[in-house]
Amino acid sequence: PDSQESIEVLVFLIFQVMFCGTAVTIVSGAVAERMNFGSYIIITALISGLVYPLFGHWAWANLNPAYEAGEVTGFLANMGFVDFAGSSVVHSVGGWASLAILLIIGSRAGRFNEDGTVRNIPGANLPLAAFGVLVLWIGWFGFNGGSTLAMNNQVIHIVANTVIAGAAGMTAGLFMGYITTGRSEVNLVMNGILAGLVAITANAHAVTTFDAVIIGAVGGMIMFFLDRMLIRLRIDDAVGAIPVHLGAGVWGTLAFGLFAGSQYLGDNTRMEQIGVQIFGILVCAVWTFGVVYIILNIINRISPLRVTAEDEHIGLNVSEHGATTDLLDLFTVMDEQSKTGDLGLRVPVEPFTEVGQIARRYNSVMEALEE
């Protein structure tokens, strides 16, 4: 158990578990605010237990240190399919699964109005979301750099391409938003960064710095147009997971065939490599979307995946997990008073928060009115 070979296998296992977890969490963002927790557990089991392992084996089995050197067992890898750190294996799998689930559970209440207008539902904490993107950007250095499975001179080149592609995606997303709306929209900056990072993930080891700029920028633009397309199709992706992870993931996988140096193409010509990359993309689409849609559609007919309208209105943090906040307590009391006219109701006071101070003053006003 403590042999060098066993240690390498365990390290590879841990690395794959992290990748699998990433594919699953992509889904959580897309379906936010309308799916019950039990359904998400089912989805997690389906993706991590069936969808990801099989497609990952088809594409990456030859990387497993438990196999003999040069032994290739995955049929996509045997064809020469390359997905360096998972634009398809991780990100497209999460994106296709998200699309399948969204077609089953539908959009959030009030997102699309009957008159054809679209209601924007902003995130609750934009600074925290931006900080999360920054953490992801830094974490991507390990995501891509670690995929060399060795600490060698290639790692710094991969990390540099990762930084540059993320910056190019950010710039492209910002530019596309500005020329269409006249505003510098923060959500396009954040998703542009992520789209650039996803796009470079399949090819970071095999392209030049200039190529990384193009790949990242195109990834940001694909994210922008696909996001608009989903809205027109009335598909409600809460965080833009499909444009970022599916759209940019497909592009990044294809970009390997378009931009990779000839020394990375193996026995394939460039056109043959492009064909292999397209075939791998199609296999990912048919396998992931097909399995997830069929199985979850059956489950949904037996036990609905979506929460009730009342639970959705209350908020899943409350209805599913029993969590509450001082702001929710304040709104609950105010709503009850507006309905009943009972001036005797008081808001619980959390003395060490801004909302708690507002609640204290609100209670003082109610006491004066009651007198």
Side-chain angles (χ1 to χ4, degrees):
D2 58 349
S3 66
Q4 182 63 33
E5 182 178 340
S6 298
I7 292 173
E8 290 177 355
V9 172
L10 289 175
V11 170
F12 184 75
L13 172 64
I14 293 171
F15 205 63
Q16 287 298 316
V17 167
M18 293 295 97
F19 275 20
C20 182
T22 300
V24 171
T25 55
I26 290 169
V27 176
S28 67
V31 303
E33 303 180 44
R34 74 210 98 149
M35 174 176 284
N36 63 62
F37 185 67
S39 299
Y40 183 66
I41 295 299
I42 294 173
I43 293 166
T44 300
L46 177 61
I47 295 175
S48 62
L50 177 63
V51 175
Y52 177 89
L54 263 69
F55 186 73
H57 176 80
W58 296 337
W60 284 348
N62 59 312
L63 301 178
N64 191 335
Y67 294 139
E68 295 293 333
E71 181 182 358
V72 179
T73 59
F75 81 93
L76 287 177
N78 196 39
M79 295 173 63
F81 178 74
V82 175
D83 185 8
F84 177 65
S87 286
S88 281
V89 179
V90 177
H91 298 281
S92 290
V93 163
W96 285 118
S98 298
L99 179 60
I101 297 164
L102 289 179
L103 293 178
I104 295 172
I105 66 173
S107 60
R108 290 168 289 178
R111 174 66 165 139
F112 301 111
N113 301 316
E114 294 182 0
D115 60 1
T117 58
V118 180
R119 175 191 171 198
N120 184 37
I121 304 178
N125 193 322
L126 194 58
L128 186 61
F131 177 71
V133 171
L134 175 62
V135 172
L136 279 172
W137 199 347
I138 296 172
W140 228 284
F141 302 161
F143 196 95
N144 284 357
S147 292
T148 59
L149 302 179
M151 179 57 77
N152 53 35
N153 294 334
Q154 194 178 29
V155 172
I156 187 61
H157 175 71
I158 292 168
V159 171
N161 280 348
T162 302
V163 175
I164 290 168
M170 174 187 67
T171 305
L174 181 64
F175 177 74
M176 294 303 299
Y178 189 79
I179 64 175
T180 54
T181 66
R183 298 187 301 273
S184 305
E185 298 186 9
V186 179
N187 67 308
L188 290 177
V189 172
M190 295 189 295
N191 279 352
I193 291 171
L194 297 178
L197 293 171
V198 170
I200 200 64
T201 295
N203 50 72
H205 66 304
V207 300
T208 66
T209 302
F210 181 73
D211 293 337
V213 174
I214 298 173
I215 293 168
V218 173
M221 289 187 284
I222 289 174
M223 174 278 300
F224 176 84
F225 287 114
L226 187 54
D227 184 66
R228 268 47 183 181
M229 181 184 298
L230 290 179
I231 292 175
R232 289 187 178 182
L233 296 174
R234 302 175 75 85
I235 297 175
D236 182 18
D237 182 345
V239 299
I242 294 173
V244 167
H245 297 280
L246 176 53
V250 168
W251 159 243
T253 306
L254 178 61
F256 175 85
L258 297 173
F259 293 95
S262 58
Q263 68 271 31
Y264 296 98
L265 302 182
D267 297 329
N268 293 327
T269 65
R270 186 165 300 278
M271 290 306 300
E272 288 173 340
Q273 188 65 48
I274 292 172
V276 170
Q277 297 299 110
I278 293 174
F279 180 71
I281 291 167
L282 292 176
V283 170
C284 181
V286 173
W287 167 249
T288 306
F289 183 87
V291 169
V292 173
Y293 186 82
I294 292 172
I295 293 178
L296 291 184
N297 205 16
I298 294 172
I299 294 174
N300 187 57
R301 295 176 184 274
I302 301 171
S303 177
L305 303 175
R306 184 168 179 145
V307 298
T308 64
E310 181 181 358
D311 286 347
E312 185 177 354
H313 176 73
I314 294 172
L316 303 193
N317 58 331
V318 178
S319 63
E320 289 288 306
H321 307 292
T324 186
T325 65
D326 47 6
L327 185 60
L328 177 63
D329 292 337
L330 174 62
F331 286 168
T332 300
V333 172
M334 293 173 70
D335 186 57
E336 183 67 19
Q337 284 181 327
S338 69
K339 293 177 180 178
T340 65
D342 182 2
L343 300 181
L345 294 176
R346 296 292 180 266
V347 182
V349 175
E350 172 56 57
F352 303 110
T353 66
E354 292 181 357
V355 175
Q357 297 301 316
I358 294 172
R360 186 189 299 278
R361 302 308 189 276
Y362 181 81
N363 288 342
S364 299
V365 172
M366 289 298 103
E367 290 171 1
L369 287 174
E370 192 174 24
E371 290 179 6

